[in-house]
Amino acid sequence: MASKPFSKSVFTFYRFVRRRLGNPTGQHHHHRSTSGTPTYPEIIEGCPVACKDDAQVQNEVLILDIEGGLLRSQSLFPYFILVATEAGSFLRGLILLCLYPLLSFLTQEVQSRVMAMVCFLGLTEEKVTRVARATLPKHFLEDIGREGLEVVRGFKRVVGLSRLIPRVMLEDFLKEYIGLEMVVGRELKIVRGRYVGLLEMEGERRLSLDKLEGTEMVGFGSSSSYFNHNHHQLFTCCKEVYLVTPEQKKQWSTLPRDQYPRPLIFHDGRLAFKPTPQATLAMFMWLPFAVPLTLLRTLIFVNLPYSISLPIGSASGVTTRVINNPIPATGNTNHGALAQPNPQGHLYVCNHRTLLDPVYISAMLNKKVSAVTYSVSRISELLSPIQTIRLTRNRDEDRRRMEHSLQKGDLVICPEGTTCREPYLLRFSPLFIELVDEVYPVALVNWSYMFYGTSTGRSKYMDHFYYFMNPHPAYVIEFMDRMPTHVVINGRRCESYDVANMVQGEISRVLGFEPTKLTRKDKYMILAGNDGVVDTKQ
């Protein structure tokens, strides 16, 4: 029963703030005392958690200014340029970058309006929502101040207010990762499913703030923008407003990864860096060189023998490092003294970082191998320098195809079924355990400093091109000791999924990654809202 008054009050407050954000030139409203005299919230310097005891904090609702009380950065350009490039195009991002010198002379209020117009004009709801769900959370998490998050964690109920960033960019992140119950921010007008880049103006309804009386609300934000007209109206319903000074906020520390409210395992988007104006300018200056260099690198790896392509690739900036090289001076593959002659080919099991994983393993072995694929595009298969075997997701048929390939030679399989950018390993499918008596685990890690070579969108056929567009892409390949697939513990033979978990655990240990039980389907449902099947005609 106690939650009903809160829900009613917060809903009323939500409608009020949406009206104020959509019509910032309206009249200023204040609390009124029982005598009808306007009152103002009490301004207190510092954080509410530090100034109040736990009992008080637990019974109050925090009204959080997102830009002033949670994010460390003063510039909103990185978030808008991500929408412009990821949901729009590089051309749209270039236009926004060209406008930035002029925008720097304007107020933040005007900047956000202009950037919203450039970024959102003509974009569909689907594209923007996908970027907000799959791309922006990573960048928001990296910009959170640890001190601001400590304030949020001190309250059971938090309402987030965004003065400058449109609500559609923030809501998924704040609800899924921070746990806010409601997010109020700028609303953008939509016509026939497309944004027109303008603030949506609500009607002239007058909402009475008297309905909020009885709900204890506390505001938290930054003093640098509190006395801005729009900002002040957001907190007129609060009893107290706690503010941090710009000097205090400059001392805020970055939130360590192990303190994220929720682990960041999946994210999407091509840009691998925080797109500040300076970094974005460097990217656009690099692009004219990156395109021909990418074509050159692709031709080298596709057409030349590994003994030639690797040195030339290294001269072009591609870094490759191998640990426990399986190729001795004689040129024959060697996996240690324990290796025995095998009528079948070797089965190499690796974690999945990019589509190039099997190619790098083949290069380090200095011989051609086959690789299984999961719904990759036809273009990727045609460009592959090694043979690819398309799986059907039918267990019996997939097993038959892999056994047939092993009879011809070595096979590389990525049991995760999809790539993972972060230091986590997805669940290993156990089918590979049933194919051979022993497997050869390979631990892979790569670095992309400008562009990610993986995606969940329709442009997956461009993945390896984006990887080679990096100035200095890097791969480390570590060949591990072979592992038996028939394991007996306490007199009981382990099931195939138990052995698959052991292989996953060993690769995780070598890499320092964390194993998970998440699957390919989980990733695609979270990021793209589908099961990960792409159009094979691409």
Side-chain angles (χ1 to χ4, degrees):
M1 295 298 292
S3 62
K4 292 184 177 180
F6 168 75
S7 300
K8 183 177 180 181
S9 299
V10 170
F11 178 71
T12 304
F13 173 66
Y14 171 75
R15 292 189 301 164
F16 163 73
V17 176
R18 278 194 58 181
R19 179 173 179 270
R20 301 312 304 167
L21 287 171
N23 185 19
T25 60
Q27 298 297 316
H28 196 124
H29 294 275
H30 309 284
H31 276 307
R32 291 186 178 271
S33 63
T34 55
S35 62
T37 303
T39 61
Y40 294 87
E42 180 183 359
I43 307 301
I44 304 173
E45 181 178 330
C47 298
V49 176
C51 302
K52 291 172 170 284
D53 57 46
D54 293 340
Q56 286 179 298
V57 169
Q58 293 297 320
N59 294 325
E60 294 175 331
V61 179
L62 177 66
I63 310 302
L64 176 68
D65 172 25
I66 303 302
E67 293 91 346
L70 186 64
L71 302 179
R72 295 181 299 114
S73 176
Q74 297 296 318
S75 174
L76 304 180
F77 177 86
Y79 308 120
F80 282 99
I81 196 72
L82 283 167
V83 175
T85 55
E86 303 290 359
S89 63
F90 281 103
L91 177 59
R92 188 187 292 260
L94 180 60
I95 294 173
L96 181 59
L97 178 64
C98 292
L99 290 175
Y100 180 76
L102 299 176
L103 294 176
S104 61
F105 293 101
L106 305 176
T107 64
Q108 279 194 323
E109 169 71 20
V110 179
Q111 286 182 26
S112 66
R113 288 176 177 270
V114 176
M115 288 192 292
M117 171 65 75
V118 175
C119 294
F120 286 88
L121 180 61
L123 294 181
T124 62
E125 290 184 81
E126 179 184 2
K127 287 185 177 180
V128 173
T129 300
R130 179 167 178 167
V131 170
R133 179 180 65 243
T135 304
L136 291 178
K138 170 184 181 293
H139 298 273
F140 281 131
L141 282 170
E142 292 174 351
D143 196 26
I144 285 181
R146 182 172 59 182
E147 293 77 3
L149 185 61
E150 289 176 354
V151 173
V152 174
R153 286 171 168 167
F155 288 81
K156 283 186 176 180
R157 294 170 173 172
V158 182
V159 175
L161 300 175
S162 175
R163 297 174 293 107
L164 303 171
I165 303 177
R167 179 187 58 82
V168 67
M169 294 170 60
L170 279 165
E171 188 168 35
D172 282 337
F173 161 70
L174 292 174
K175 288 185 175 181
E176 294 296 326
Y177 285 87
I178 310 300
L180 271 60
E181 294 189 14
M182 181 177 294
V183 180
V184 181
R186 293 187 175 279
E187 300 292 339
L188 292 166
K189 188 173 181 62
I190 299 176
V191 176
R192 295 182 179 180
R194 291 184 179 272
Y195 289 95
V196 297
L198 299 174
L199 292 177
E200 185 176 17
M201 310 299 286
E202 292 194 357
E204 291 298 324
R205 295 180 302 170
R206 288 188 174 275
L207 304 176
S208 174
L209 292 181
D210 294 338
K211 295 181 180 180
L212 295 175
E213 292 184 359
T215 302
E216 295 290 338
M217 294 189 179
V218 176
F220 177 61
S222 172
S223 62
S224 61
S225 56
Y226 173 75
F227 294 102
N228 173 276
H229 181 69
N230 296 337
H231 192 171
H232 189 257
Q233 294 185 44
L234 301 180
F235 291 111
T236 54
C237 58
C238 297
K239 177 183 64 173
E240 301 166 340
V241 175
Y242 292 81
L243 302 174
V244 292
T245 64
E247 292 73 21
Q248 291 173 326
K249 195 171 179 181
K250 287 180 180 179
Q251 301 300 317
W252 280 13
S253 55
T254 304
L255 186 67
R257 172 181 287 274
D258 58 2
Q259 294 184 22
Y260 282 179
R262 170 184 166 184
L264 178 68
I265 300 177
F266 302 127
H267 60 87
D268 208 359
R270 291 297 187 182
L271 301 187
F273 61 97
K274 181 178 181 180
T276 61
Q278 297 80 2
T280 305
L281 176 61
M283 178 194 72
F284 279 107
M285 293 177 64
W286 168 250
L287 283 180
F289 303 96
V291 174
L293 181 61
T294 298
L295 295 176
L296 175 63
R297 289 169 171 173
T298 301
L299 291 174
I300 290 173
F301 276 89
V302 170
N303 297 305
L304 297 181
Y306 294 135
S307 58
I308 300 176
S309 63
L310 287 177
I312 297 179
S314 177
S316 71
V318 179
T319 301
T320 306
R321 180 188 172 203
V322 61
I323 301 176
N324 299 329
N325 193 334
I327 304 176
T330 59
N332 297 320
T333 303
N334 176 29
H335 291 282
L338 295 178
Q340 301 295 329
N342 194 336
Q344 289 183 318
H346 291 142
L347 179 60
Y348 295 92
V349 179
C350 65
N351 59 304
H352 205 2
R353 301 294 287 183
T354 73
L355 289 176
L356 297 173
D357 295 339
V359 178
Y360 271 95
I361 292 176
S362 178
M364 295 303 102
L365 294 172
N366 196 26
K367 65 177 180 179
K368 297 293 184 179
V369 299
S370 300
V372 298
T373 61
Y374 298 83
S375 299
V376 300
S377 67
R378 290 296 184 188
I379 294 178
S380 298
E381 290 182 330
L382 290 173
L383 291 175
S384 175
I386 62 176
Q387 181 184 4
T388 59
I389 302 166
R390 181 179 291 272
L391 298 186
T392 64
R393 298 178 184 241
N394 179 287
R395 184 181 179 87
D396 293 335
E397 176 62 19
D398 290 345
R399 177 170 180 167
R400 186 192 68 78
R401 292 188 179 190
M402 287 189 284
E403 287 177 341
H404 180 69
S405 178
L406 281 169
Q407 291 174 0
K408 295 182 176 181
D410 294 348
L411 178 66
V412 178
I413 183 173
C414 305
E416 292 174 285
T418 187
T419 58
C420 185
R421 298 173 175 178
E422 298 300 317
Y424 296 91
L425 259 62
L426 307 188
R427 190 186 72 186
F428 277 25
S429 173
L431 179 58
F432 72 94
I433 297 296
E434 303 170 8
L435 302 176
V436 291
D437 295 329
E438 59 187 21
V439 297
Y440 295 86
V442 184
L444 302 171
V445 64
N446 75 308
W447 290 271
S448 299
Y449 300 102
M450 188 171 288
F451 302 105
Y452 284 117
T454 60
S455 70
T456 58
R458 295 180 179 178
S459 61
K460 285 183 66 64
Y461 66 94
M462 293 290 291
D463 283 356
H464 83 276
F465 289 107
Y466 274 102
Y467 175 75
F468 281 135
M469 282 173 63
N470 286 283
H472 296 286
Y475 246 98
V476 175
I477 304 98
E478 181 171 354
F479 290 88
M480 302 164 56
D481 293 335
R482 69 190 181 103
M483 294 183 63
T485 58
H486 303 288
V487 180
V488 177
I489 299 179
N490 295 328
R492 182 182 67 87
R493 179 174 175 177
C494 295
E495 299 291 341
S496 59
Y497 60 84
D498 290 323
V499 180
N501 290 340
M502 294 178 188
V503 177
Q504 180 202 39
E506 280 300 301
I507 296 178
S508 299
R509 180 187 61 80
V510 169
L511 294 173
F513 288 5
E514 181 178 340
T516 73
K517 295 182 179 181
L518 298 173
T519 65
R520 171 189 174 89
K521 184 176 181 180
D522 293 326
K523 171 186 171 179
Y524 276 85
M525 289 303 298
I526 291 172
L527 297 182
N530 58 57
D531 61 358
V533 178
V534 302
D535 185 2
T536 59
K537 296 180 181 181
Q538 289 182 321

